[in-house]
Amino acid sequence: MNAVAVDGVWKFYGDYPALRDVKLEAAAGTCLALIGRNGAGKTTLLRILGGFSRPGRGSVRICGAAPRDTATRRRIGFIGHGISVYDELSAIENLTLFARLYGLREPRKAATEWLERTGLDRVAGGLVREFSRGMRQRLAVARAFLHDPSVLLLDEPFTALDDRAIAVLQRLLREGLAEGKTIVMSTHQLREALELATDVALLNRGKVAFSGPRTPEMVADPGFLYARYGEG
Amino acid sequence: MDFFRQVMVIAAKDLRAELRTKEAINGSLAFALVILLLFAFAFDPTGDTTREISGGLLWIVFAFAGTLILNRSFARELPNDCLDALIAAPISGAALFLGKAIANYCLLLAVELVSLPVFGIFYNVRWTQRFPELMLVLLLGTWALTVLGTMTSALTVNIRLREVMLPLLTYPILVPALMGAMRLTMELIAGTPINSENVMWLKMLIGFDVIYTAVSLVLVETILVG
């Protein structure tokens, strides 16, 4: 069974089809890099996979179930454009809050552990609004990984990250892949993404222009896919 | 059990965030007190007039001051896309809604409990004559305002003119509950107990609360996710 299966998905904003008959699959333990120009439909697809919106037509299955099922939501870790943590709360309060919402047995312990893993343990009690941008982003990474999700949906995860946050994220993603987690990430940072990806899908104006395993040519020349299938 | 734990986690989060920033409660409280003060100076009401307008005045103040709190309810989730994290979490929309409603309810009640004594002083009214019954009306009327306002806050969270749309959508639907709360408050402040003549307003308030709570709990998931 595929960890992520997208079958014939259409999404309309008014009359405009943001996604057109998208078919994609990602097996467990693989990393699918979604690439494409701005407006290609990457974020729309990720938001449907995450259960934030519903497809107009077609179906999406995460580990064989609908994305909005409660059990499925426990399996998904999501990093979107925002950091999705509260400025008015401290780092430990934020993570404890989400640990409680995900029903973890020892929320405080899990929060402390993830603050250590992302190098934020020294500022655990500090309010997020006082954090630097890099620290906020590491906290967002900790929030997404906190409940040990088996499917990670990452929307432009490397954008605007500082070097330390990129290193933390790449390490966590590698460890996740080794543990059998499935990663679907949209990105414009092709070099970082292709180093990690096992599969690549190129979206062009809402349609899948290419989908297949990552090849050495793609790593050697990140523009290869755009040149070959890009504006078609 | 899980449901109520999730509700309390959301309510505690909202209250903690609000008590740190105090952005909604300070504005709401200041607004309520200023309106009460202005009316007292503008009309210089006598004892009889005060008793006649007490229900209307208090509930208009509560309703308008309340929108300042209710507007922040879901809008608080917009910075940093926190609403996404809540929608992605394995909690039901109903738990999210109820948690937020409880936090709003506590904040609204706090504003009302400060406003009532101020009203008593400015207007020289012994508002405690029927205290337990007045508290009952206050609790029921405030829940009506809260449940409808929290729902409208969810409905308008992603639109640009949400500050305008929330009262525009909330007040017309709230009219029956406001009428009941105003009428009962006026009579209780005048010293009239709840009796066979005015108990229908109390029943209407209870009915309103039950119906709109049930409707909100059923619809909130669709409103948030579509």
Side-chain angles (χ1 to χ4, degrees), chain A residues 47 51-52 54 68 70 73-74 82-89 93 97-98 100-103 127 136, chain B residues 2 5-6 9-10 13 16-17 20-21 76-77 80-82 84-91 221 225-226:
Chain A
R47 290 188 69 78
F52 300 106
R54 297 185 204 277
R68 286 303 295 165
T70 307
R73 278 187 272 167
R74 278 183 215 284
I83 56 173
S84 297
V85 288
Y86 294 92
D87 286 339
E88 309 86 8
L89 302 183
E93 284 169 347
L97 164 72
F98 286 104
R100 289 204 172 110
L101 292 178
Y102 278 87
L127 294 182
R136 292 155 70 88
Chain B
D2 245 16
R5 190 180 52 76
Q6 290 164 354
V9 169
I10 295 290
K13 184 273 292 175
R16 180 175 287 164
R20 289 238 167 102
T21 61
R76 182 191 308 286
E77 308 295 340
N80 299 343
D81 290 344
C82 288
D84 277 357
L86 292 183
I87 291 172
I91 60 170
E221 181 86 14
V225 182

Side-chain angles (χ1 to χ4, degrees), chain B residues 2-103:
Chain B
D2 245 16
F3 178 82
F4 291 104
R5 190 180 52 76
Q6 290 164 354
V7 168
M8 294 326 290
V9 169
I10 295 290
K13 184 273 292 175
D14 270 17
L15 285 173
R16 180 175 287 164
E18 176 54 34
L19 293 178
R20 289 238 167 102
T21 61
K22 298 186 182 69
E23 52 190 21
I25 197 161
N26 278 354
S28 177
L29 193 57
F31 183 81
L33 297 182
V34 166
I35 296 291
L36 285 173
L37 187 68
L38 284 177
F39 268 86
F41 284 130
F43 298 111
D44 192 17
T46 62
D48 285 345
T49 319
T50 301
R51 273 190 288 277
E52 279 171 25
I53 65 164
S54 60
L57 173 64
L58 278 172
W59 280 100
I60 284 171
V61 168
F62 295 162
F64 280 98
T67 54
L68 297 178
I69 289 172
L70 296 165
N71 250 327
R72 288 290 305 147
S73 183
F74 275 86
R76 182 191 308 286
E77 308 295 340
L78 291 180
N80 299 343
D81 290 344
C82 288
L83 189 57
D84 277 357
L86 292 183
I87 291 172
I91 60 170
S92 67
L96 173 59
F97 170 81
L98 209 52
K100 287 200 155 288
I102 287 171

Side-chain angles (χ1 to χ4, degrees), chain A residues 93-113:
Chain A
E93 284 169 347
N94 264 296
L95 293 192
T96 307
L97 164 72
F98 286 104
R100 289 204 172 110
L101 292 178
Y102 278 87
L104 302 191
R105 248 183 227 150
E106 294 177 276
R108 188 97 184 169
K109 193 178 162 199
T112 308
E113 187 189 318

